[in-house]
Every structure is written in C-alpha cells, then in structure tokens.
Short mmCIF file of all heavy atoms in Angstrom, two decimals:
data_model
loop_
_atom_site.label_atom_id
_atom_site.label_comp_id
_atom_site.label_asym_id
_atom_site.label_seq_id
_atom_site.Cartn_x
_atom_site.Cartn_y
_atom_site.Cartn_z
N MET A 1 0.84 -1.19 0.00
CA MET A 1 0.00 0.00 0.00
C MET A 1 0.88 1.25 0.00
O MET A 1 1.88 1.30 0.68
CB MET A 1 -0.87 0.05 1.24
CG MET A 1 -1.96 -0.96 1.30
SD MET A 1 -2.99 -0.61 2.72
CE MET A 1 -4.54 -0.95 2.02
N ASN A 2 0.47 2.23 -0.75
CA ASN A 2 1.24 3.46 -0.74
C ASN A 2 0.70 4.40 0.34
O ASN A 2 -0.33 4.16 0.96
CB ASN A 2 1.23 4.12 -2.11
CG ASN A 2 -0.16 4.48 -2.58
OD1 ASN A 2 -1.09 4.53 -1.79
ND2 ASN A 2 -0.30 4.73 -3.86
N PHE A 3 1.40 5.47 0.56
CA PHE A 3 1.07 6.40 1.64
C PHE A 3 -0.31 7.03 1.46
O PHE A 3 -1.05 7.19 2.41
CB PHE A 3 2.14 7.49 1.73
CG PHE A 3 1.81 8.55 2.74
CD1 PHE A 3 1.92 8.28 4.09
CD2 PHE A 3 1.38 9.79 2.34
CE1 PHE A 3 1.61 9.25 5.03
CE2 PHE A 3 1.06 10.76 3.26
CZ PHE A 3 1.19 10.49 4.62
N LEU A 4 -0.65 7.40 0.22
CA LEU A 4 -1.92 8.07 -0.03
C LEU A 4 -3.10 7.17 0.29
O LEU A 4 -4.08 7.62 0.88
CB LEU A 4 -1.98 8.54 -1.48
CG LEU A 4 -3.14 9.45 -1.85
CD1 LEU A 4 -3.12 10.71 -1.00
CD2 LEU A 4 -3.10 9.81 -3.31
N SER A 5 -3.02 5.91 -0.08
CA SER A 5 -4.14 5.02 0.21
C SER A 5 -4.25 4.74 1.71
O SER A 5 -5.35 4.53 2.22
CB SER A 5 -4.00 3.71 -0.56
OG SER A 5 -2.88 2.98 -0.11
N ILE A 6 -3.14 4.75 2.42
CA ILE A 6 -3.20 4.58 3.87
C ILE A 6 -3.78 5.83 4.52
O ILE A 6 -4.61 5.75 5.43
CB ILE A 6 -1.79 4.28 4.44
CG1 ILE A 6 -1.32 2.91 3.96
CG2 ILE A 6 -1.80 4.33 5.96
CD1 ILE A 6 0.13 2.63 4.28
N PHE A 7 -3.37 7.00 4.04
CA PHE A 7 -3.81 8.26 4.64
C PHE A 7 -5.27 8.55 4.34
O PHE A 7 -6.03 8.93 5.22
CB PHE A 7 -2.93 9.40 4.12
CG PHE A 7 -3.25 10.73 4.71
CD1 PHE A 7 -2.99 10.99 6.05
CD2 PHE A 7 -3.82 11.73 3.94
CE1 PHE A 7 -3.29 12.23 6.60
CE2 PHE A 7 -4.13 12.95 4.49
CZ PHE A 7 -3.85 13.21 5.82
N LEU A 8 -5.70 8.37 3.09
CA LEU A 8 -7.07 8.70 2.70
C LEU A 8 -8.01 7.51 2.68
O LEU A 8 -9.21 7.69 2.58
CB LEU A 8 -7.06 9.33 1.29
CG LEU A 8 -6.37 10.67 1.15
CD1 LEU A 8 -6.35 11.09 -0.30
CD2 LEU A 8 -7.03 11.72 2.00
N GLY A 9 -7.49 6.33 2.73
CA GLY A 9 -8.33 5.16 2.54
C GLY A 9 -8.51 4.94 1.05
O GLY A 9 -7.87 5.55 0.22
N MET A 10 -9.40 4.07 0.71
CA MET A 10 -9.65 3.80 -0.70
C MET A 10 -10.57 4.88 -1.26
O MET A 10 -11.67 5.09 -0.76
CB MET A 10 -10.27 2.42 -0.89
CG MET A 10 -9.36 1.30 -0.42
SD MET A 10 -7.75 1.31 -1.22
CE MET A 10 -8.20 0.80 -2.85
N VAL A 11 -10.09 5.60 -2.27
CA VAL A 11 -10.88 6.67 -2.88
C VAL A 11 -11.69 6.06 -4.01
O VAL A 11 -11.14 5.54 -4.98
CB VAL A 11 -9.96 7.79 -3.41
CG1 VAL A 11 -10.78 8.88 -4.07
CG2 VAL A 11 -9.13 8.36 -2.28
N GLY A 12 -12.99 6.14 -3.88
CA GLY A 12 -13.89 5.58 -4.88
C GLY A 12 -14.47 6.66 -5.78
O GLY A 12 -14.14 7.84 -5.65
N PRO A 13 -15.34 6.26 -6.69
CA PRO A 13 -15.91 7.24 -7.63
C PRO A 13 -16.78 8.29 -6.95
O PRO A 13 -16.81 9.43 -7.39
CB PRO A 13 -16.73 6.37 -8.59
CG PRO A 13 -16.87 5.05 -7.94
CD PRO A 13 -15.76 4.91 -6.97
N TRP A 14 -17.48 7.94 -5.89
CA TRP A 14 -18.32 8.93 -5.22
C TRP A 14 -17.49 9.98 -4.50
O TRP A 14 -17.88 11.16 -4.44
CB TRP A 14 -19.28 8.26 -4.24
CG TRP A 14 -20.34 7.49 -4.96
CD1 TRP A 14 -20.48 6.14 -4.99
CD2 TRP A 14 -21.37 8.02 -5.79
NE1 TRP A 14 -21.54 5.79 -5.77
CE2 TRP A 14 -22.12 6.93 -6.29
CE3 TRP A 14 -21.75 9.29 -6.17
CZ2 TRP A 14 -23.20 7.09 -7.13
CZ3 TRP A 14 -22.82 9.45 -7.01
CH2 TRP A 14 -23.54 8.36 -7.48
N GLN A 15 -16.34 9.60 -3.98
CA GLN A 15 -15.47 10.58 -3.34
C GLN A 15 -14.89 11.54 -4.38
O GLN A 15 -14.77 12.74 -4.12
CB GLN A 15 -14.33 9.89 -2.58
CG GLN A 15 -14.79 9.22 -1.31
CD GLN A 15 -15.31 7.81 -1.53
OE1 GLN A 15 -15.28 7.30 -2.63
NE2 GLN A 15 -15.77 7.19 -0.46
N ILE A 16 -14.55 11.02 -5.55
CA ILE A 16 -14.02 11.87 -6.61
C ILE A 16 -15.09 12.85 -7.08
O ILE A 16 -14.82 14.03 -7.29
CB ILE A 16 -13.49 11.01 -7.78
CG1 ILE A 16 -12.27 10.22 -7.30
CG2 ILE A 16 -13.13 11.88 -8.97
CD1 ILE A 16 -11.77 9.20 -8.28
N VAL A 17 -16.33 12.38 -7.24
CA VAL A 17 -17.43 13.26 -7.63
C VAL A 17 -17.63 14.35 -6.58
O VAL A 17 -17.82 15.53 -6.92
CB VAL A 17 -18.73 12.44 -7.85
CG1 VAL A 17 -19.93 13.35 -7.99
CG2 VAL A 17 -18.59 11.53 -9.05
N LEU A 18 -17.57 13.99 -5.32
CA LEU A 18 -17.74 14.96 -4.26
C LEU A 18 -16.63 16.02 -4.28
O LEU A 18 -16.90 17.21 -4.13
CB LEU A 18 -17.75 14.25 -2.90
CG LEU A 18 -17.95 15.14 -1.69
CD1 LEU A 18 -19.32 15.78 -1.71
CD2 LEU A 18 -17.76 14.33 -0.42
N ILE A 19 -15.41 15.60 -4.52
CA ILE A 19 -14.30 16.54 -4.60
C ILE A 19 -14.48 17.49 -5.77
O ILE A 19 -14.26 18.70 -5.65
CB ILE A 19 -12.95 15.78 -4.69
CG1 ILE A 19 -12.67 15.08 -3.36
CG2 ILE A 19 -11.81 16.71 -5.06
CD1 ILE A 19 -11.53 14.10 -3.41
N VAL A 20 -14.90 16.97 -6.93
CA VAL A 20 -15.11 17.82 -8.11
C VAL A 20 -16.22 18.83 -7.85
O VAL A 20 -16.09 20.00 -8.21
CB VAL A 20 -15.42 16.93 -9.35
CG1 VAL A 20 -15.93 17.77 -10.50
CG2 VAL A 20 -14.19 16.14 -9.75
N VAL A 21 -17.30 18.40 -7.22
CA VAL A 21 -18.40 19.32 -6.91
C VAL A 21 -17.94 20.42 -5.96
O VAL A 21 -18.27 21.59 -6.16
CB VAL A 21 -19.60 18.53 -6.33
CG1 VAL A 21 -20.64 19.47 -5.73
CG2 VAL A 21 -20.23 17.66 -7.39
N ILE A 22 -17.17 20.08 -4.96
CA ILE A 22 -16.68 21.08 -4.00
C ILE A 22 -15.76 22.08 -4.70
O ILE A 22 -15.87 23.29 -4.48
CB ILE A 22 -15.96 20.39 -2.81
CG1 ILE A 22 -16.99 19.66 -1.96
CG2 ILE A 22 -15.18 21.40 -1.98
CD1 ILE A 22 -16.39 18.80 -0.88
N VAL A 23 -14.88 21.59 -5.58
CA VAL A 23 -13.99 22.49 -6.32
C VAL A 23 -14.81 23.43 -7.21
O VAL A 23 -14.53 24.64 -7.29
CB VAL A 23 -12.96 21.68 -7.14
CG1 VAL A 23 -12.23 22.56 -8.14
CG2 VAL A 23 -11.97 21.01 -6.20
N LEU A 24 -15.83 22.89 -7.89
CA LEU A 24 -16.67 23.74 -8.73
C LEU A 24 -17.41 24.79 -7.91
O LEU A 24 -17.54 25.95 -8.34
CB LEU A 24 -17.67 22.89 -9.52
CG LEU A 24 -17.12 22.17 -10.73
CD1 LEU A 24 -18.17 21.25 -11.32
CD2 LEU A 24 -16.66 23.16 -11.77
N LEU A 25 -17.87 24.43 -6.73
CA LEU A 25 -18.57 25.39 -5.89
C LEU A 25 -17.63 26.47 -5.36
O LEU A 25 -18.00 27.63 -5.24
CB LEU A 25 -19.25 24.68 -4.72
CG LEU A 25 -20.48 23.85 -5.07
CD1 LEU A 25 -20.96 23.09 -3.83
CD2 LEU A 25 -21.59 24.72 -5.61
N LEU A 26 -16.40 26.08 -5.04
CA LEU A 26 -15.45 27.05 -4.50
C LEU A 26 -14.92 28.02 -5.55
O LEU A 26 -14.80 29.21 -5.30
CB LEU A 26 -14.27 26.33 -3.84
CG LEU A 26 -14.55 25.63 -2.53
CD1 LEU A 26 -13.32 24.87 -2.06
CD2 LEU A 26 -14.97 26.63 -1.47
N PHE A 27 -14.59 27.50 -6.74
CA PHE A 27 -13.92 28.33 -7.73
C PHE A 27 -14.81 28.74 -8.90
O PHE A 27 -14.51 29.70 -9.59
CB PHE A 27 -12.68 27.60 -8.28
CG PHE A 27 -11.65 27.34 -7.22
CD1 PHE A 27 -11.42 26.07 -6.76
CD2 PHE A 27 -10.91 28.38 -6.70
CE1 PHE A 27 -10.47 25.83 -5.79
CE2 PHE A 27 -9.96 28.16 -5.73
CZ PHE A 27 -9.74 26.88 -5.27
N GLY A 28 -15.87 28.01 -9.17
CA GLY A 28 -16.73 28.34 -10.30
C GLY A 28 -16.19 27.74 -11.58
O GLY A 28 -15.01 27.45 -11.72
N GLY A 29 -17.07 27.56 -12.54
CA GLY A 29 -16.70 26.92 -13.79
C GLY A 29 -15.76 27.73 -14.65
O GLY A 29 -14.96 27.19 -15.41
N LYS A 30 -15.83 29.05 -14.56
CA LYS A 30 -14.98 29.90 -15.42
C LYS A 30 -13.55 30.00 -14.90
O LYS A 30 -12.64 30.30 -15.66
CB LYS A 30 -15.58 31.30 -15.53
CG LYS A 30 -16.89 31.31 -16.27
CD LYS A 30 -17.43 32.70 -16.42
CE LYS A 30 -18.74 32.66 -17.19
NZ LYS A 30 -19.30 34.01 -17.36
N LYS A 31 -13.36 29.76 -13.63
CA LYS A 31 -12.03 29.89 -13.03
C LYS A 31 -11.20 28.61 -13.17
O LYS A 31 -9.97 28.67 -13.13
CB LYS A 31 -12.20 30.24 -11.55
CG LYS A 31 -10.97 30.67 -10.85
CD LYS A 31 -10.58 32.06 -11.24
CE LYS A 31 -9.45 32.53 -10.35
NZ LYS A 31 -8.92 33.79 -10.75
N ILE A 32 -11.84 27.48 -13.37
CA ILE A 32 -11.14 26.18 -13.43
C ILE A 32 -10.10 26.13 -14.56
O ILE A 32 -8.97 25.70 -14.32
CB ILE A 32 -12.15 25.02 -13.53
CG1 ILE A 32 -13.08 25.01 -12.31
CG2 ILE A 32 -11.45 23.68 -13.70
CD1 ILE A 32 -12.40 24.73 -11.00
N PRO A 33 -10.44 26.53 -15.81
CA PRO A 33 -9.40 26.47 -16.86
C PRO A 33 -8.18 27.31 -16.55
O PRO A 33 -7.04 26.92 -16.83
CB PRO A 33 -10.12 26.99 -18.11
CG PRO A 33 -11.56 26.75 -17.84
CD PRO A 33 -11.74 26.91 -16.37
N GLU A 34 -8.38 28.47 -15.94
CA GLU A 34 -7.25 29.31 -15.56
C GLU A 34 -6.38 28.64 -14.51
O GLU A 34 -5.15 28.67 -14.59
CB GLU A 34 -7.78 30.65 -15.04
CG GLU A 34 -6.70 31.63 -14.68
CD GLU A 34 -7.30 32.93 -14.15
OE1 GLU A 34 -8.40 33.31 -14.58
OE2 GLU A 34 -6.64 33.53 -13.29
N LEU A 35 -7.01 27.99 -13.54
CA LEU A 35 -6.25 27.27 -12.52
C LEU A 35 -5.46 26.11 -13.12
O LEU A 35 -4.31 25.88 -12.77
CB LEU A 35 -7.19 26.76 -11.43
CG LEU A 35 -7.84 27.80 -10.54
CD1 LEU A 35 -8.92 27.15 -9.68
CD2 LEU A 35 -6.81 28.47 -9.67
N MET A 36 -6.08 25.38 -14.04
CA MET A 36 -5.40 24.25 -14.67
C MET A 36 -4.24 24.72 -15.55
O MET A 36 -3.20 24.07 -15.61
CB MET A 36 -6.39 23.43 -15.50
CG MET A 36 -7.42 22.69 -14.67
SD MET A 36 -6.67 21.52 -13.53
CE MET A 36 -7.02 22.27 -11.96
N ARG A 37 -4.42 25.85 -16.23
CA ARG A 37 -3.35 26.41 -17.05
C ARG A 37 -2.16 26.78 -16.17
O ARG A 37 -1.00 26.51 -16.52
CB ARG A 37 -3.88 27.65 -17.78
CG ARG A 37 -3.22 27.88 -19.10
CD ARG A 37 -3.89 29.02 -19.89
NE ARG A 37 -5.28 28.70 -20.23
CZ ARG A 37 -6.35 29.40 -19.83
NH1 ARG A 37 -6.21 30.47 -19.08
NH2 ARG A 37 -7.56 29.05 -20.19
N GLY A 38 -2.42 27.39 -15.03
CA GLY A 38 -1.35 27.74 -14.10
C GLY A 38 -0.66 26.52 -13.54
O GLY A 38 0.56 26.50 -13.40
N LEU A 39 -1.43 25.50 -13.23
CA LEU A 39 -0.86 24.25 -12.72
C LEU A 39 0.02 23.59 -13.78
O LEU A 39 1.13 23.14 -13.49
CB LEU A 39 -1.97 23.29 -12.30
CG LEU A 39 -1.53 21.96 -11.74
CD1 LEU A 39 -0.79 22.16 -10.43
CD2 LEU A 39 -2.74 21.07 -11.53
N GLY A 40 -0.45 23.59 -15.02
CA GLY A 40 0.33 23.00 -16.12
C GLY A 40 1.63 23.73 -16.36
O GLY A 40 2.68 23.11 -16.58
N SER A 41 1.60 25.06 -16.31
CA SER A 41 2.83 25.81 -16.52
C SER A 41 3.80 25.61 -15.36
O SER A 41 5.02 25.56 -15.58
CB SER A 41 2.53 27.29 -16.72
OG SER A 41 2.01 27.86 -15.55
N GLY A 42 3.27 25.46 -14.16
CA GLY A 42 4.15 25.18 -13.02
C GLY A 42 4.82 23.83 -13.13
O GLY A 42 6.02 23.69 -12.85
N VAL A 43 4.07 22.82 -13.57
CA VAL A 43 4.65 21.48 -13.76
C VAL A 43 5.69 21.51 -14.87
O VAL A 43 6.75 20.90 -14.75
CB VAL A 43 3.53 20.45 -14.06
CG1 VAL A 43 4.11 19.13 -14.51
CG2 VAL A 43 2.65 20.26 -12.84
N ARG A 44 5.40 22.25 -15.94
CA ARG A 44 6.34 22.35 -17.06
C ARG A 44 7.64 23.01 -16.60
O ARG A 44 8.74 22.56 -16.94
CB ARG A 44 5.71 23.14 -18.20
CG ARG A 44 6.52 23.11 -19.47
CD ARG A 44 5.85 23.85 -20.62
NE ARG A 44 4.43 23.55 -20.73
CZ ARG A 44 3.44 24.44 -20.53
NH1 ARG A 44 3.72 25.67 -20.19
NH2 ARG A 44 2.18 24.10 -20.66
N GLU A 45 7.54 24.09 -15.83
CA GLU A 45 8.74 24.76 -15.32
C GLU A 45 9.53 23.83 -14.40
O GLU A 45 10.76 23.82 -14.44
CB GLU A 45 8.35 26.03 -14.57
CG GLU A 45 7.87 27.14 -15.46
CD GLU A 45 7.46 28.37 -14.68
OE1 GLU A 45 7.84 28.48 -13.49
OE2 GLU A 45 6.75 29.20 -15.25
N PHE A 46 8.83 23.06 -13.58
CA PHE A 46 9.51 22.12 -12.69
C PHE A 46 10.26 21.06 -13.49
O PHE A 46 11.42 20.75 -13.17
CB PHE A 46 8.49 21.47 -11.75
CG PHE A 46 9.09 20.48 -10.81
CD1 PHE A 46 9.80 20.90 -9.71
CD2 PHE A 46 8.94 19.12 -11.04
CE1 PHE A 46 10.36 19.98 -8.83
CE2 PHE A 46 9.50 18.19 -10.17
CZ PHE A 46 10.20 18.63 -9.07
N LYS A 47 9.63 20.51 -14.53
CA LYS A 47 10.29 19.50 -15.36
C LYS A 47 11.50 20.09 -16.05
O LYS A 47 12.55 19.44 -16.15
CB LYS A 47 9.31 18.94 -16.39
CG LYS A 47 8.31 17.99 -15.82
CD LYS A 47 7.43 17.43 -16.91
CE LYS A 47 6.43 16.45 -16.36
NZ LYS A 47 5.56 15.90 -17.42
N ASP A 48 11.37 21.32 -16.57
CA ASP A 48 12.51 21.96 -17.22
C ASP A 48 13.66 22.18 -16.24
O ASP A 48 14.82 22.01 -16.59
CB ASP A 48 12.10 23.30 -17.84
CG ASP A 48 11.18 23.12 -19.04
OD1 ASP A 48 11.13 22.01 -19.60
OD2 ASP A 48 10.50 24.11 -19.42
N ALA A 49 13.33 22.56 -15.02
CA ALA A 49 14.37 22.76 -14.01
C ALA A 49 15.03 21.44 -13.63
O ALA A 49 16.23 21.41 -13.35
CB ALA A 49 13.77 23.43 -12.78
N MET A 50 14.28 20.36 -13.63
CA MET A 50 14.86 19.06 -13.29
C MET A 50 15.76 18.54 -14.41
O MET A 50 16.73 17.85 -14.14
CB MET A 50 13.75 18.04 -13.01
CG MET A 50 12.95 18.33 -11.76
SD MET A 50 13.95 18.38 -10.28
CE MET A 50 14.42 16.67 -10.14
N LYS A 51 15.44 18.88 -15.67
CA LYS A 51 16.26 18.43 -16.79
C LYS A 51 17.61 19.15 -16.81
O LYS A 51 18.62 18.57 -17.15
CB LYS A 51 15.55 18.69 -18.12
CG LYS A 51 14.41 17.75 -18.38
CD LYS A 51 13.77 18.08 -19.71
CE LYS A 51 12.56 17.20 -19.95
NZ LYS A 51 11.88 17.56 -21.21
N ASP A 52 17.61 20.42 -16.48
CA ASP A 52 18.83 21.22 -16.56
C ASP A 52 19.06 21.93 -15.21
O ASP A 52 18.83 23.12 -15.09
CB ASP A 52 18.70 22.24 -17.69
CG ASP A 52 20.04 22.82 -18.11
OD1 ASP A 52 21.07 22.34 -17.61
OD2 ASP A 52 20.03 23.75 -18.93
N PRO A 53 19.53 21.17 -14.20
CA PRO A 53 19.65 21.76 -12.85
C PRO A 53 20.72 22.82 -12.72
O PRO A 53 20.67 23.63 -11.82
CB PRO A 53 19.95 20.56 -11.97
CG PRO A 53 20.57 19.57 -12.87
CD PRO A 53 19.94 19.80 -14.22
N GLU A 54 21.72 22.84 -13.62
CA GLU A 54 22.80 23.80 -13.49
C GLU A 54 22.50 25.11 -14.20
O GLU A 54 23.25 26.07 -14.08
CB GLU A 54 24.10 23.20 -14.01
CG GLU A 54 24.54 22.01 -13.17
CD GLU A 54 25.90 21.50 -13.56
OE1 GLU A 54 26.62 22.22 -14.28
OE2 GLU A 54 26.24 20.40 -13.13
N LYS A 55 21.42 25.16 -14.93
CA LYS A 55 21.03 26.39 -15.61
C LYS A 55 20.51 27.38 -14.59
O LYS A 55 19.62 27.08 -13.81
CB LYS A 55 19.95 26.09 -16.66
CG LYS A 55 19.52 27.29 -17.43
CD LYS A 55 18.45 26.90 -18.44
CE LYS A 55 17.89 28.12 -19.11
NZ LYS A 55 16.79 27.78 -19.99
N LYS A 56 21.04 28.58 -14.59
CA LYS A 56 20.64 29.60 -13.62
C LYS A 56 19.52 30.44 -14.22
O LYS A 56 19.49 30.72 -15.40
CB LYS A 56 21.82 30.51 -13.28
CG LYS A 56 22.99 29.77 -12.71
CD LYS A 56 22.97 29.80 -11.24
CE LYS A 56 24.19 29.09 -10.74
NZ LYS A 56 24.30 29.00 -9.38
N ASP A 57 18.61 30.88 -13.38
CA ASP A 57 17.53 31.76 -13.80
C ASP A 57 17.99 33.20 -13.63
O ASP A 57 18.22 33.66 -12.53
CB ASP A 57 16.27 31.49 -12.97
CG ASP A 57 15.06 32.21 -13.49
OD1 ASP A 57 15.13 32.71 -14.64
OD2 ASP A 57 14.06 32.29 -12.77
N ASP A 58 18.12 33.93 -14.74
CA ASP A 58 18.64 35.29 -14.70
C ASP A 58 17.55 36.34 -14.58
O ASP A 58 17.84 37.53 -14.71
CB ASP A 58 19.48 35.57 -15.96
CG ASP A 58 20.73 34.71 -16.00
OD1 ASP A 58 21.23 34.33 -14.91
OD2 ASP A 58 21.21 34.41 -17.11
N THR A 59 16.32 35.94 -14.34
CA THR A 59 15.23 36.90 -14.28
C THR A 59 15.15 37.60 -12.92
O THR A 59 14.42 38.55 -12.78
CB THR A 59 13.88 36.22 -14.58
OG1 THR A 59 13.66 35.19 -13.64
CG2 THR A 59 13.86 35.67 -15.98
N LYS A 60 15.90 37.14 -11.95
CA LYS A 60 15.83 37.72 -10.60
C LYS A 60 16.71 38.94 -10.49
O LYS A 60 17.67 39.15 -11.05
CB LYS A 60 16.20 36.70 -9.54
CG LYS A 60 15.18 35.63 -9.46
CD LYS A 60 15.57 34.65 -8.38
CE LYS A 60 14.55 33.54 -8.32
NZ LYS A 60 14.86 32.55 -7.34
#
C-alpha cells in the first residue's frame, strides 16, 4: 500500500465526484481552466528545471 491510500483510505468514484463538486462550488466553472493552465505551466517549469539543474535563472 502506498502512503496516499493509507492516509485517505480507498478513494472511490463517489469521493471523486464529491471533490469535483466542491472544487466547482469554490472556484466556479470559469475559473477552473485558468487554474489548470497555471498548474500545467508550473509542472512544465519544474520539469525543465529538473532536466537542466545547473542552468541559472537570470530573471531575478
């Protein structure tokens, strides 16, 4: 068993539906694509940083 299944228990389809409904209620349907775009760009930047760890960021 991995840590997530021990911590949360077995996540079934009803729990996933409940999580999606809560996220929609909190952020609204129009805000979700913007949040996902930001998440995707963050993951992309992280992957790029992992590929080239010695490259310095000169934007600071």
